[in-house]
Amino acid sequence: MLIAAVALAVGLSTLAMTWRYRATHPQRPAAMAVRLALSTTPHAALLMLAAEKDFLRDEGLDVTIVPVSHGKFALDLLARGEVDLATAAEVPFVTAVLDHQPLSILASMLSVSDEMAVVARRDRGIAAPADLLGKRIGVPRGTSAEYFLWALLIRHRLARDGVTLVDLPPGRLADELARGRIDAASTWQPVRQDAETALGAQGVSFTAPAAYTVSHVVVGRTDYLHQQAEMSRRFVRALLKAERFNRLHADESLAIVARRLKVDAAALQPSWKSLAFRVNLLQSQLVTMEDEADWAVSGSPGASAPTPNFLPHLYLDALLDEQPDRVTVAH
């Protein structure tokens, strides 16, 4: 009886300790595998933080990150079925929808209106936006950089066909500009900074802060997001955790992103201040995508098509379940 009593006491003690451990160390949910094409730009910073600080893993997501240079390439991988999710600005997403790809936005994670610029060579007689007419401008076609260039031209009442566009990947823009193979380049950070540094005093930059607000979004196949509703919720929760971490630990966040992008934190800091990191799905973003669709169609010779309804291409359920106040889209 004494042995039995001791065994019972030990068993109850062990059980109590197990309960206390589980209360203070909640078990992670079963891991779900996700392949993510992640653009190597500051715009995808929240996901870099989510990976670095284990927010994705804590939500039970086993994420394989496929780094890509920009969002259009990420969406190409998504279209080929090589990844499950992709990050991109909303312009390549809009063009993908126009191409009848069955994609939807899970969440927007950033907006910024004053970081993009056209960087030009002064020795080509360029001192003002009007001097861009007749010049060769490098730009990754089908991206937010192309849409920004169009917005800049419209703002200064310059003809869209008054410039020659040279389709170049982001990684080649600064070098092609420095070598004089193009007269100007339309781009985002940190490529913009690379181009400005390469030209030095011979460079001039044109911005248009109020002309265009770009959003960086997480995109998946529409059927995948609906079928993987639990994964979608977990992913959104990880993004919200990363947003909060960035808000509370801004300097550490900057250092993490700079290290992942392999750039100097001090060099990244000026443009970092302009980035508004917030997880949401806004009506204003929907309106911007409709404008971008009109732009894309009008730029295709002989093309005419009605503006698509982008509402079915927004997966609202995950964010509505987790934080409904972040959704202002009329639905």
Side-chain angles (χ1 to χ4, degrees):
M1 290 180 63
L2 178 61
I3 293 173
V6 171
L8 178 61
V10 171
L12 291 173
S13 176
T14 301
L15 183 60
M17 291 175 64
T18 301
W19 284 342
R20 285 197 297 271
Y21 180 85
R22 288 179 176 175
T24 56
H25 299 78
Q27 290 182 326
R28 288 174 173 170
M32 304 178 73
V34 180
R35 299 167 300 169
L36 170 67
L38 185 67
S39 52
T40 52
T41 67
H43 311 94
L46 288 189
L47 280 171
M48 298 178 195
L49 296 175
E52 179 83 14
K53 305 306 291 187
D54 279 341
F55 298 143
L56 292 164
R57 188 175 298 277
D58 289 344
E59 289 298 335
L61 297 176
D62 181 13
V63 179
T64 299
I65 293 178
V66 181
V68 297
S69 60
H70 58 299
K72 187 175 184 298
F73 186 39
L75 292 182
D76 289 342
L77 294 180
L78 183 61
R80 296 199 296 265
E82 297 180 26
V83 295
D84 304 306
L85 298 174
T87 64
E90 81 288 341
V91 170
F93 168 77
V94 166
T95 57
V97 171
L98 289 173
D99 287 338
H100 308 291
Q101 294 185 28
L103 304 180
S104 290
I105 294 175
L106 173 61
S108 173
M109 53 185 175
L110 167 133
S111 64
V112 58
S113 63
D114 60 354
E115 69 139 14
M116 301 188 74
V118 172
V119 184
R121 297 181 62 103
R122 292 184 183 273
D123 60 358
R124 299 293 168 84
I126 304 174
D131 300 327
L132 294 171
L133 291 178
K135 300 300 192 294
R136 288 166 49 85
I137 303 178
V139 60
R141 297 298 300 269
T143 68
S144 57
E146 184 181 0
Y147 186 76
F148 168 77
L149 174 60
W150 171 80
L152 179 73
L153 294 174
I154 291 296
R155 164 166 284 201
H156 293 278
R157 301 184 179 182
L158 304 175
R160 181 175 182 172
D161 58 1
V163 299
T164 299
L165 301 187
V166 180
D167 189 8
L168 291 170
R172 289 179 53 194
L173 284 174
D175 184 62
E176 294 289 295
L177 185 59
R179 292 173 181 269
R181 293 173 180 164
I182 52 177
D183 305 309
S186 180
T187 188
W188 51 74
Q189 295 288 16
V191 180
R192 170 187 169 183
Q193 182 177 316
D194 293 340
E196 291 170 336
T197 300
L199 293 184
Q202 283 300 314
V204 58
S205 296
F206 307 122
T207 61
Y212 170 45
T213 297
V214 60
S215 298
H216 209 73
V217 297
V218 180
V219 182
R221 287 181 59 89
T222 303
D223 56 354
Y224 174 80
L225 294 176
H226 283 277
Q227 292 165 6
Q228 301 292 331
E230 177 60 25
M231 181 285 303
S232 301
R233 285 191 291 270
R234 294 183 186 185
F235 202 92
V236 164
R237 286 199 295 267
L239 278 175
L240 290 167
K241 289 179 179 179
E243 179 195 308
R244 183 174 186 274
F245 179 86
N246 177 62
R247 185 169 60 251
L248 298 178
H249 309 281
D251 292 341
E252 183 181 354
S253 297
L254 173 61
I256 290 171
V257 174
R259 185 177 69 253
R260 283 182 167 257
L261 293 177
K262 299 179 181 178
V263 299
D264 184 73
L268 182 60
Q269 189 167 27
S271 62
W272 181 265
K273 294 178 181 179
S274 67
L275 304 178
F277 295 105
R278 184 167 175 81
V279 181
N280 54 33
L281 286 167
L282 305 180
Q283 184 69 25
S284 59
Q285 295 163 348
L286 193 64
V287 173
T288 297
M289 288 191 288
E290 292 172 350
D291 291 341
E292 290 164 347
D294 292 340
W295 159 80
V297 171
S298 66
S300 301
S304 62
T307 302
N309 178 12
F310 284 99
L311 185 56
H313 294 278
L314 301 180
Y315 182 76
L316 305 176
D317 293 358
L319 195 52
L320 283 173
D321 286 346
E322 297 302 322
Q323 207 158 332
D325 61 304
R326 301 293 188 98
V327 179
T328 66
V329 176
H331 58 284

